[in-house]
Amino acid sequence: MSNDGTPPAASPVPRTTADVQALIAAERGGQPFLTGRAQDGSQVVFLLARDRWRLTVGRKPDSDIALGWDVEVSRAHALLELIGDQWTLVDDGLSSNGSYVNGQRVVGRQRLRQGDRLCFGTTQLLFRDPGPPESEATRRDARSTAMPLTPMQRKVLIALCRPLNDATSALPATNKQIAEEVFLSVDAVKAQLRLLFERFGLGELAQNEKRVKLAQDAFASGSVTPRDF
């Protein structure tokens, strides 16, 4: 690990459909959570229930945030404590290799904010806080920072992603399903999808990969969120 708590660079692991559905479910639960990758590349999601004011982080199997695969994590490494309605990371020197938030070592206590990158040993976890239901104005503000899309492109993208959000399918919607939802012809849907593939930089992928990757990237970029359904 580098001096700023950043693990060695590793090749990114593509999100699977199951990964996306797990993140959607966590977001819809409305409670903060941590997400990252275990040593074998599998996605992990740790829910931070508000009925617990203290959670343990460590290599011990009975830790609330159990990182047993990481030998650089101490058996009892750190604590997550709920102060009011804010989660904080506490490391008072309990760990051998320290705890980091956004590359800065935590000495004592640090408040966690949406999108913070936590590092324990070689394991990185992202702190996500869905927060209370958003107003339509807040959703519009959030969309302004996501991929710019036309109103029809957004409708097509939401229709494409709908089966994943409902967890009724492991695959995005078909062209026919999208056409029925947005009141376009199948040919018009294909044309809109071609524009979306290019907009998201997926033009070089094999045709059978584009749809799933587009849906995954739409959720990952915030262009589509669970509140759109």
Side-chain angles (χ1 to χ4, degrees):
M1 188 189 322
S2 64
N3 292 333
D4 68 352
T6 304
S11 300
V13 179
R15 281 195 178 98
T16 66
T17 300
D19 289 343
V20 173
Q21 290 177 335
L23 291 178
I24 292 171
E27 290 273 1
R28 295 184 75 177
Q31 301 209 70
F33 62 96
L34 301 176
T35 183
R37 296 282 178 184
Q39 191 173 46
D40 62 2
S42 61
Q43 178 175 268
V44 292
V45 176
F46 300 103
L47 300 179
L48 309 184
R50 294 190 186 277
D51 59 355
R52 299 277 303 279
W53 73 275
R54 172 180 285 174
L55 301 173
T56 58
V57 180
R59 205 171 71 250
K60 294 191 298 184
D62 60 351
S63 299
D64 298 303
I65 312 298
L67 310 176
W69 61 83
D70 193 335
V71 297
E72 293 194 25
V73 171
S74 300
R75 287 178 57 79
H77 194 100
L79 298 171
L80 293 173
E81 292 186 351
L82 187 60
I83 307 297
D85 62 351
Q86 301 292 324
W87 281 99
T88 64
L89 173 62
V90 182
D91 191 329
D92 291 322
L94 189 63
S95 64
S96 299
N97 295 317
S99 304
Y100 296 79
V101 175
N102 300 326
Q104 298 297 314
R105 185 162 185 166
V106 175
V107 180
R109 182 188 304 273
Q110 180 163 332
R111 175 186 172 187
L112 299 180
R113 294 176 171 83
Q114 165 72 2
D116 278 350
R117 177 173 52 85
L118 284 60
C119 186
F120 308 104
T122 62
T123 300
Q124 290 192 67
L125 299 174
L126 189 69
F127 177 74
R128 298 180 68 164
D129 186 355
E134 297 175 332
S135 66
E136 179 59 29
T138 303
R139 287 197 293 271
R140 286 197 299 267
D141 290 343
R143 289 169 189 162
S144 68
T145 63
M147 185 73 69
L149 302 171
T150 68
M152 183 51 71
Q153 286 171 347
R154 273 194 51 75
K155 289 181 180 180
V156 169
L157 198 55
I158 290 169
L160 176 79
C161 296
R162 189 177 301 282
L164 300 179
N165 178 71
D166 295 338
T168 57
S169 170
L171 295 173
T174 65
N175 290 342
K176 184 175 183 295
Q177 290 171 327
I178 297 171
E180 291 173 351
E181 177 170 336
V182 302
F183 302 106
L184 289 178
S185 68
V186 170
D187 286 341
V189 168
K190 290 179 180 178
Q192 291 291 334
L193 286 173
R194 283 195 293 270
L195 292 173
L196 288 166
F197 293 148
E198 294 300 323
R199 181 67 60 87
F200 281 78
L202 306 177
E204 301 302 316
L205 289 182
Q207 190 63 35
N208 62 347
E209 297 177 4
K210 288 180 180 179
R211 300 171 69 86
V212 171
K213 190 66 169 65
L214 176 59
Q216 293 171 355
D217 288 357
F219 282 117
S221 68
S223 298
V224 174
T225 74
R227 296 185 178 94
D228 286 317
F229 301 100

